[in-house]
Amino acid sequence: MVTIRRKLVPISLALTMTNGKNNLKKYIVVHETDNTNIGADADAHARLQINGNSRQVSWHWQVDDQEAVQSFEHFWECWSAGTYIGNHQGIQVEICVNSDGDYVKAVQNAATLIAKIIKDENIAIENIVQHHYFSGKNCPRNMRAGKVPWSQFIEMIKKASNTQNPPVETLKYRILTGTYNTFQAAESAAKVMKFTFGWLVYIEQDGPKYRIKTGTFTGMIAVKNAENKIKKAKLAQVTYIKDA
Ligand SMILES: [Zn+2]
């Protein structure tokens, strides 16, 4: 069981840490952080990225023995694989190897996460590859050394794909709309969300304009579904998902 959450690098920063937004999402590229420091877990690596990693590297996910944290939406072309194709077509997953973590558990969590991503993004299991596949780098190092053999890792992913045990999403999110020019405009959209969708909603003033803030949704799937509802009903031109 692994919990997943998002700690996304803001777009303005992401533009300086990637090759843009046209990732073809054809591969999952598996890495290890190579950072054995105590505390060098998923949250630490996510923080490193959100603070604008000083090294010219970036990656979508980091996983440790407790959780998986997403730093970039999959459409970003992160800098990890060491080749243009690897970065342009790959979703990059870093497995943490902090010495105070349980490596085998982190690998299992990565398998569960990857099973979810390949389902969400419709990626073939054959296209789960090592960083080594693109650039020849010895990464993921422990796995390549047989600590958990690659073939076993692929089996873990297959098994996770077949179980009814998807990652547990415990985090709560809200949706914030873009602004409406008048209170009446915000109110009429809010009414649909309240009475048709049955949600809690709040209208907030933002300078001379207004926004709608929803109550909380548990998990990214639920909040994405809610966001789609707003879009389908054309209740807001822009929406933002925020951690609650
Ligand atoms: Zn790597």
Side-chain angles (χ1 to χ4, degrees):
M1 192 144 89
V2 56
T3 60
I4 66 176
R5 68 184 164 96
R6 310 213 309 170
K7 192 167 190 162
L8 294 181
V9 172
I11 290 170
S12 55
L13 190 55
L15 286 166
T16 71
M17 294 169 70
T18 65
N19 282 339
K21 296 184 179 179
N22 292 315
N23 195 323
L24 296 185
K25 302 185 279 190
K26 196 174 157 192
Y27 296 94
I28 302 287
V29 189
V30 178
H31 304 263
E32 285 175 14
T33 61
D34 264 353
N35 185 346
T36 55
N37 291 341
I38 289 173
D41 58 10
D43 188 63
H45 282 87
R47 271 186 279 127
L48 182 74
Q49 298 211 89
I50 217 165
N51 291 327
N53 197 342
S54 56
R55 291 163 57 219
Q56 296 273 303
V57 286
S58 52
W59 52 89
H60 299 88
W61 289 90
Q62 42 263 303
V63 191
D64 64 20
D65 57 353
Q66 306 287 329
E67 62 171 353
V69 185
Q70 182 175 16
S71 292
F72 292 88
E73 299 264 23
H74 296 157
F75 55 70
W76 291 103
E77 299 175 52
C78 287
W79 294 331
S80 280
T83 66
Y84 174 76
I85 301 268
N87 292 338
H88 178 51
Q89 304 191 356
I91 295 171
Q92 318 292 332
V93 177
E94 289 276 356
I95 301 171
C96 294
V97 296
N98 46 310
S99 53
D100 55 330
D102 178 340
Y103 174 75
V104 175
K105 187 84 208 308
V107 168
Q108 178 60 62
N109 287 345
T112 308
L113 173 71
I114 290 170
K116 172 178 163 49
I117 299 173
I118 60 174
K119 192 169 168 223
D120 290 349
E121 301 289 2
N122 200 18
I123 295 171
I125 199 142
E126 297 75 32
N127 285 1
I128 302 167
V129 298
Q130 303 179 3
H131 180 179
H132 178 268
Y133 172 86
F134 285 110
S135 71
K137 188 180 171 184
N138 186 19
C139 177
R141 186 185 300 270
N142 291 291
M143 217 180 273
R144 291 179 55 74
K147 198 165 173 182
V148 174
W150 181 254
S151 57
Q152 196 180 321
F153 181 57
I154 296 295
E155 284 308 312
M156 285 178 176
I157 296 169
K158 284 183 182 165
K159 207 172 161 194
S161 300
N162 294 330
T163 62
Q164 303 298 322
N165 213 356
V168 179
E169 300 191 76
T170 53
L171 276 136
K172 292 187 187 296
Y173 302 92
R174 293 179 197 280
I175 299 168
L176 194 64
T177 68
T179 55
Y180 301 86
N181 288 330
T182 63
F183 182 82
Q184 286 73 16
E187 193 183 32
S188 72
K191 272 185 178 163
V192 177
M193 295 182 208
K194 194 171 176 184
F195 298 113
T196 309
F197 300 165
W199 301 345
L200 269 176
V201 289
Y202 312 90
I203 297 175
E204 294 187 335
Q205 196 153 4
D206 185 345
K209 299 187 177 184
Y210 301 88
R211 293 180 193 278
I212 299 171
K213 184 175 87 178
T214 69
T216 61
F217 298 90
T218 302
M220 187 48 64
I221 294 168
V223 76
K224 283 262 189 191
N225 285 341
E227 188 181 42
N228 284 336
K229 263 185 153 173
I230 293 176
K231 283 184 181 156
K232 262 195 181 162
K234 297 192 166 62
L235 298 178
Q237 287 185 335
V238 188
T239 50
Y240 309 92
I241 292 175
K242 300 274 183 195
D243 291 342

